[in-house]
């Protein structure tokens, strides 16, 4: 990392105004994180134990031997790929592209509807989609009206249902990011391509996508990290059930820490979730760098 | 992106991931205020305890001039109530002065050092002699000290809808002799009255302890000779792995849900199934047989929100039979709740004064009747006014003689979760009885630090 020109010679007093925020950060950000990292190496319990002790890497090795943990990792990946990478990202881009061409009224109405879903608190969105997917819910009412077979979606396809819910809720963010990015593309370039006879798909593939690469990277990263930590939505809709069929890592962690009282183990799982998040981030950063 | 970005992002993620701890407001520094935490029903119309405590508060504040009572309700399903409470008990800033504890968790909380022994108070309290011995033991820890004052107990049995039985052509009063009798009746109802749910047995993790106790243990304790505890071997102080009795009980659950004799699996695994059974399925005659506790009528009493005074004409009561009808012929489990003083309470003396107010004979009797509890005070149990107060009280009080108590040791809550998971996996059909039993054995080993025995 290069030091800015003359940076070393700046008097220390210039950093003084930063001090309060630095103290706050250390106190409220670094402090709890350090404490969590410490707890992950102990066998601390919520109840049933007089003293906790240091257990080294036991919690982590236990996690990798635990079928329920591996199941949660797998479901987290499925959930993230389905709802974030494929769902929110592609749908957001598609909506943004379509809205570029739509009339102002259509644009305003669509924008308002999509953003409504985003503005709703996670738990409220969860209840709405619970009401949509449940056995006596809206989806089945529609299917029934069309004389199609109905089923309890939250029971038969729980991970798909919660993924759909996350797409429904989070697409607005992608749409906004991509709308901004598409708006930045100079009109002349698209027009020139059009003159050269490039059709819609070719323009998208060869001009638009390469030009908004950076936005795609940023959007993917933010979406993924947000999706990895989704808790309320799944908790409200399925509580990770039936069985463990929609139990992603945050729900697994909650169960271990607060329902089975194993705070130490739960925190270790939280740290592992952090690792998963960092891995995704690294991949995106690589992509961004090589394409920049 | 700057190289610090991933660090910041990771930090944000960690906070999002670990920031699930609930907080509670306020501290108990005021020496004249006693803060009381209790479980509030998730059904907004059920306010039995709120009303009772409000009247106790008025009485206490009148008898103790200058002192104040602050009620701190925790509105949550059972399993989340414990979590919330334990978090509050960890710190002197949030610990209330008096808490309502389920006896199944109390030993776990005692081991954690969350509760205060009450022996010095009890020794000076003449009313303590009125409590029956089993109730006195309910909150006695392995160290021989007592950590709570029980406010009643409970027993369990089969509730059935006489109207549905009549439609199905089944004679009432009904008393099944074996598990098969119960299942056969449910099958008959399924065939003759297809519009109703024949039999409810609580199951799975979402129901928490309700699944383990009203569901599984009502079956498990009805296997074998009926004398030894099928979960815990007290001679070797070890937990018993899943043997034939355990698998038989799982098989019963599997049969109920496999043959669709129970509620739709997705309803059965809804965390609010208990509230629905009491508030909707039974009063609307949508459920024929319900394996449940003695406290059900508290939801149907006058002023409780779901008034249903004619329940005693429409519902019948039967003992849960043993597996093959072997002696003693019937099964019941008992537990109950106690009032306890947290070790970090700021006003423990005042808190015990409040227990005394709640546990005068008149107030205790008022509470048993209000919440359909089973009396643990001899003077109340002998009072004809209590016996006559509500239909069903005699049925459930008589069960106290042959009831079972759970091995409420610190590992029990985890064992209970393992039981719920085993039930859930056979309920959904995710695994066979054999597989569920072997998973239980694994979890039992982890939960009890390997203190297990095969029988």
């Amino acid at each position: 990392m290069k030091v800015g020109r003359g940076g070393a010679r700046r008097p220390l007093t210039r950093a003084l105004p930063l001090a309060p925020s630095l103290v706050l950060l250390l106190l409220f950000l670094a402090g709890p994180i350090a404490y969590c990292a410490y707890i992950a190496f102990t066998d601390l319990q919520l109840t049933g134990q007089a003293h906790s002790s240091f257990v080294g890497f036991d919690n982590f090795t236990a996690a990798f031997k635990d079928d329920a943990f591996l199941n949660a990792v797998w479901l987290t990946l499925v959930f993230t790929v389905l709802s974030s990478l494929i769902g929110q990202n592609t749908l957001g881009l598609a909506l943004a592209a379509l809205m570029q061409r739509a009339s102002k009224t259509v644009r305003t109405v669509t924008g308002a509807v999509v953003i409504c879903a985003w503005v709703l608190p996670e738990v409220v969105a969860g209840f709405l989609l619970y009401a949509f997917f449940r056995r006596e819910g809206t989806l089945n009412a529609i299917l029934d009206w069309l004389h199609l077979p109905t089923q309890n979606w939250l029971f038969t396809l729980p991970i798909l249902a919660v993924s759909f819910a996350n797409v429904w809720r989070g697409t607005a963010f992608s749409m906004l990011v991509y709308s901004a990015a598409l708006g930045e593309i100079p009109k002349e370039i698209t027009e020139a391509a059009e003159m050269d006879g490039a059709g819609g798909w070719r323009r998208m593939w060869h001009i638009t996508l390469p030009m908004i690469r950076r936005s795609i990277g940023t959007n993917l990263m933010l979406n993924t990290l947000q999706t990895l930590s989704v808790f309320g939505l799944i908790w409200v809709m399925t509580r990770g059930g039936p069985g463990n069929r929609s139990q992603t890592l945050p729900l697994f962690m909650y169960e271990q820490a607060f329902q089975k009282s194993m705070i130490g183990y739960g925190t270790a799982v939280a740290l592992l979730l952090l690792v998963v998040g960092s891995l995704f981030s690294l991949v995106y950063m690589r992509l961004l760098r090589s394409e920049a | 992106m700057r190289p610090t970005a991933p660090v910041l992002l990771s930090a944000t993620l960690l906070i999002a991931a670990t920031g699930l701890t609930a907080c509670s407001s306020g501290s108990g520094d005021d020496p004249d205020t006693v803060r009381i935490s209790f479980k509030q029903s998730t059904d907004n119309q059920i306010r039995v305890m709120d009303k009772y405590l409000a009247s106790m508060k008025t009485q206490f504040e009148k008898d103790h001039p200058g002192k104040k009572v602050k009620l701190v309700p925790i509105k949550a399903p059972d399993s989340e109530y414990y979590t919330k409470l334990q978090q509050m008990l960890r710190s002197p800033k949030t610990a209330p002065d008096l808490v309502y504890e389920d006896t199944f968790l109390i030993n776990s909380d005692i081991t954690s050092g969350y509760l205060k022994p009450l022996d010095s108070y009890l020794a000076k309290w003449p009313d303590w002699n009125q409590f029956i011995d089993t109730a006195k033991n309910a909150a006695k820890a392995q160290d021989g000290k007592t950590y709570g004052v029980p406010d009643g107990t409970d027993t369990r049995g089969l509730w059935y809808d006489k109207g549905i039985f009549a439609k199905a052509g089944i004679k009432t009063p009904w008393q099944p002799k074996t598990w098969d009798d119960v299942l056969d009746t449910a099958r008959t109802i399924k065939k003759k009255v297809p519009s109703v749910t024949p039999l409810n047995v609580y199951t799975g993790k979402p129901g928490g302890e309700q699944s383990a106790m009203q569901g599984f243990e009502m079956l498990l304790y009805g296997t074998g000779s009926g004398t030894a505890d099928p979960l815990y071997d007290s001679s070797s102080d070890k937990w018993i792995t899943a043997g034939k009795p355990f698998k038989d009980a799982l098989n019963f659950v599997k049969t109920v849900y496999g043959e669709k004799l129970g509620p739709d699996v997705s309803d059965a695994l809804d965390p609010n199934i208990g509230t629905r059974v009491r508030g909707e399925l039974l009063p609307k005659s949508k459920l024929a047989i319900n394996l449940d506790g003695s406290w059900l009528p508290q939801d149907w009493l006058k002023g409780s929100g779901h008034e249903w005074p004619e329940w005693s004409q429409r519902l019948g009561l039967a003992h849960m039979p043993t597996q093959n009808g072997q002696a003693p012929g019937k099964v019941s489990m008992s537990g109950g709740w106690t009032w306890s003083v947290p070790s970090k309470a700021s006003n423990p003396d005042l808190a015990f004064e409040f227990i005394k107010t709640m546990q005068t004979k008149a107030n205790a009797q008022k509470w048993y009747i209000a919440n359909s509890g089973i009396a643990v005070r001899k003077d109340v149990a002998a009072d004809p006014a209590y016996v006559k107060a509500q239909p069903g009280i005699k049925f459930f009080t008589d069960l106290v003689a042959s009831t079972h108590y759970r091995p409420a040791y610190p590992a029990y809550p985890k064992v209970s979760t393992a039981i719920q998971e085993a039930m859930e996996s056979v309920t959904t059909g995710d695994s066979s009885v054999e597989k569920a039993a072997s998973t239980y054995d694994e979890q039992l080993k982890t939960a009890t630090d390997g203190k297990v025995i095969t029988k």
Side-chain angles (χ1 to χ4, degrees):
Chain A
M1 196 172 160
K2 271 187 254 169
V3 180
R5 210 174 289 167
R9 258 170 284 145
R10 277 180 194 151
L12 256 176
T13 43
R14 281 190 65 171
L16 211 58
L18 283 176
S21 55
L22 188 72
V23 169
L24 284 177
L25 271 179
L26 284 177
L27 209 62
F28 293 108
L29 198 71
I33 292 175
Y35 185 55
C36 281
Y38 165 71
I39 288 177
F41 292 93
T42 69
D43 62 354
L44 183 70
Q45 294 191 10
L46 194 56
T47 183
Q49 175 200 50
H51 304 285
S52 63
S53 52
F54 190 77
V55 293
F57 283 94
D58 280 9
N59 286 329
F60 296 93
T61 45
F64 284 100
K65 278 189 208 147
D66 186 345
D67 287 344
F69 171 77
L70 299 175
N71 171 63
V73 171
W74 167 243
L75 286 176
T76 307
L77 292 178
V78 171
F79 180 65
T80 307
V81 170
L82 275 183
S83 66
S84 168
L85 287 182
I86 301 177
Q88 294 181 357
N89 192 52
T90 334
L91 194 63
L93 180 58
L95 279 174
L98 288 175
M99 276 168 68
Q100 293 274 309
R101 319 201 138 219
S103 71
K104 198 164 175 231
T105 339
V106 174
R107 211 152 50 194
T108 322
V109 172
T110 322
V113 169
V114 177
I115 289 169
C116 260
W118 189 49
V119 169
L120 283 180
E122 201 179 356
V123 174
V124 178
F127 274 115
L128 277 177
L129 283 140
Y130 169 76
F132 179 74
F133 280 117
R134 67 195 282 259
R135 195 151 38 84
E136 294 92 15
T138 324
L139 177 60
N140 279 340
I142 297 169
L143 289 174
D144 197 41
W145 184 70
L146 294 170
H147 297 288
L148 289 168
T150 63
Q151 54 188 310
N152 188 335
W153 301 95
L154 293 170
F155 185 72
T156 48
L157 297 166
I159 193 72
L160 273 184
V162 293
S163 299
F164 177 88
N166 193 41
V167 173
W168 181 82
R169 182 163 182 271
T171 301
F173 180 75
S174 300
M175 190 190 82
L176 292 177
V177 170
Y178 287 131
S179 290
L182 291 177
E184 297 280 298
I185 297 176
K187 275 244 158 60
E188 308 86 72
I189 298 183
T190 347
E191 276 163 14
E194 217 166 335
M195 298 287 275
D196 290 342
W201 282 114
R202 287 189 63 164
R203 281 208 305 280
M204 186 70 161
W205 193 249
H206 291 289
I207 301 194
T208 317
L209 284 185
M211 291 196 74
I212 60 166
R213 249 176 201 160
R214 291 190 142 260
S215 301
I216 297 179
T218 316
N219 183 49
L220 275 177
M221 168 127 63
L222 292 174
N223 266 344
T224 309
L225 293 182
Q226 197 267 334
T227 299
L228 277 177
S229 60
V230 166
F231 176 82
L233 198 64
I234 306 182
W235 181 254
V236 168
M237 289 177 70
T238 65
R239 297 214 176 191
N244 290 332
R245 279 184 263 157
S246 57
Q247 193 178 51
T248 55
L249 275 173
L251 278 96
F252 176 76
M253 187 185 76
Y254 178 84
E255 183 183 291
Q256 300 307 317
F258 298 120
Q259 292 186 307
K260 296 191 177 172
S261 306
M262 298 189 279
I263 301 278
Y265 185 51
T267 316
V269 173
L271 285 182
L272 290 170
L273 178 61
L274 174 72
V275 173
V276 177
S278 323
L279 284 179
F280 270 105
S281 310
L282 276 180
V283 172
Y284 296 141
M285 304 267 285
R286 272 283 131 115
L287 284 178
L288 278 179
R289 208 171 293 163
S290 64
E291 283 159 5
Chain B
M1 200 168 269
R2 286 166 296 119
T4 47
V7 179
L8 270 180
L9 279 171
S10 311
T12 318
L13 186 73
L14 183 69
I15 289 174
T18 50
L20 295 161
T21 27
C23 319
S24 177
S25 59
S27 77
D29 288 342
D30 180 357
D32 292 326
T33 304
V34 50
R35 295 169 71 250
I36 298 169
S37 280
F38 64 98
K39 188 172 107 62
Q40 192 168 53
S41 173
T42 49
D43 185 333
N44 277 324
Q45 292 177 304
I46 310 291
R47 286 289 171 264
V48 179
M49 190 158 207
D50 304 60
K51 279 184 194 156
Y52 171 74
L53 285 177
S55 78
M56 289 301 111
K57 172 183 152 88
T58 319
Q59 201 172 325
F60 183 84
E61 287 174 353
K62 206 175 123 201
D63 295 348
H64 300 80
K67 309 292 179 195
K68 284 256 169 302
V69 174
K70 188 170 180 237
L71 300 175
V72 188
I74 299 176
K75 186 173 181 167
D78 278 5
S79 54
E80 283 152 50
Y81 170 76
Y82 311 133
T83 306
K84 182 75 198 270
L85 194 62
Q86 282 152 358
Q87 285 169 335
M88 289 167 74
L89 294 177
R90 288 181 84 86
S91 155
K93 281 216 176 70
T94 51
D97 297 308
L98 192 59
V99 291
Y100 201 43
E101 285 263 345
D102 191 331
T103 48
F104 107 92
L105 213 70
I106 197 162
N107 268 296
S108 190
D109 284 353
I110 293 168
T111 311
S112 310
Y114 291 160
L115 304 177
K116 194 179 169 68
L118 301 176
D119 300 70
S120 59
Y121 296 108
L122 295 172
K124 285 180 263 163
W125 186 40
D127 282 39
W128 188 233
N129 293 324
Q130 285 294 342
F131 286 74
I132 57 171
D133 287 340
T134 43
K136 282 182 174 172
N137 289 333
K140 202 177 218 170
Q142 280 159 317
D143 64 7
K145 293 178 187 155
T146 303
Y147 289 80
V149 175
D151 72 339
T153 186
D154 46 31
T155 50
R156 286 151 178 78
L158 292 162
W159 301 75
Y160 62 90
D161 187 305
K162 293 180 194 166
I164 300 176
F165 271 54
K167 270 192 224 162
I170 302 162
K171 250 197 260 156
T172 50
W174 172 69
Q175 178 54 62
K177 297 278 187 306
T178 63
W179 286 3
D180 283 338
D181 286 355
V182 177
L183 291 173
D184 285 340
T185 309
R187 289 184 189 115
T188 311
I189 291 163
K190 183 177 160 69
K191 209 187 299 164
K192 302 250 177 81
V193 197
S195 59
V196 305
T197 303
L199 169 65
N200 174 52
V201 177
Y202 293 117
T203 184
K205 268 194 296 183
E209 182 57 11
Q210 158 182 283
S211 308
M213 198 172 183
Q214 276 88 274
F216 193 78
E217 288 160 12
M218 283 296 284
L219 297 160
L220 184 65
Y221 281 77
T223 59
S225 66
T227 48
D229 189 312
L231 278 179
Y232 189 79
D233 180 54
S234 46
S235 61
S236 62
D237 283 335
K238 284 180 176 163
W239 294 84
I240 301 168
T241 54
K244 186 169 182 302
F246 195 97
K247 290 175 195 162
D248 285 350
L250 277 183
N251 234 326
F252 186 96
V253 176
K254 191 184 174 70
T255 310
V256 169
Y257 290 97
E259 291 185 22
K260 301 200 185 305
L261 301 172
D264 187 89
V265 176
S266 57
D267 291 334
L269 295 178
D270 186 319
N272 296 313
I273 176 76
T275 313
R276 280 194 63 202
V277 164
R278 297 189 295 272
E280 182 190 332
L281 300 182
L282 282 176
K284 290 187 181 157
S285 276
K286 288 182 186 163
L287 174 61
I289 311 167
N290 180 34
L291 180 53
D292 215 324
S294 51
W295 57 85
L296 257 55
Q298 68 165 292
D299 286 19
W300 307 324
L301 295 175
K302 222 173 171 188
S304 59
H306 291 295
E307 275 178 39
W308 187 29
E310 60 282 22
W311 75 264
S312 57
Q313 282 103 60
R314 297 212 353 232
L315 296 182
L317 287 164
H319 305 303
M320 179 65 194
T322 49
Q323 184 175 14
N324 302 307
Q326 74 273 32
K330 55 188 172 187
V331 188
S332 172
M333 299 294 300
S334 282
W337 292 66
T338 71
W339 285 104
S340 300
V341 179
S343 52
K344 289 180 174 138
S346 12
N347 304 314
D349 297 349
L350 214 50
F352 196 80
E353 283 302 309
F354 193 80
I355 296 184
K356 282 175 161 173
T357 303
M358 287 192 289
Q359 287 295 332
T360 60
K361 183 193 174 242
N363 285 341
Q365 183 159 340
K366 189 176 153 195
W367 171 239
Y368 297 146
I369 294 170
N371 85 328
S372 309
I374 304 301
V376 289
R377 283 182 67 116
K378 295 171 216 161
D379 49 1
V380 178
D383 191 328
Y386 157 79
V387 182
K388 271 190 238 133
Q390 193 176 289
I393 279 198
K394 191 173 166 3
F395 174 89
F396 285 113
T397 307
D398 288 349
L399 278 173
V400 171
S402 58
T403 198
H404 301 269
Y405 290 86
R406 290 159 296 180
Y409 302 111
Y412 178 79
K414 280 183 211 156
V415 175
S416 167
T417 312
I419 290 177
Q420 295 157 31
E421 285 181 12
M423 291 181 93
E424 182 159 340
S425 62
V426 299
T427 301
T428 54
D430 279 359
S431 64
S432 65
V433 166
E434 285 296 327
K435 174 94 199 324
S438 69
T439 311
Y440 171 78
D441 287 350
E442 288 294 309
Q443 294 191 340
L444 189 69
K445 253 185 239 161
T446 321
T448 62
D449 282 331
K451 285 188 200 125
V452 296
I453 187 171
T454 308
K455 272 200 149 183

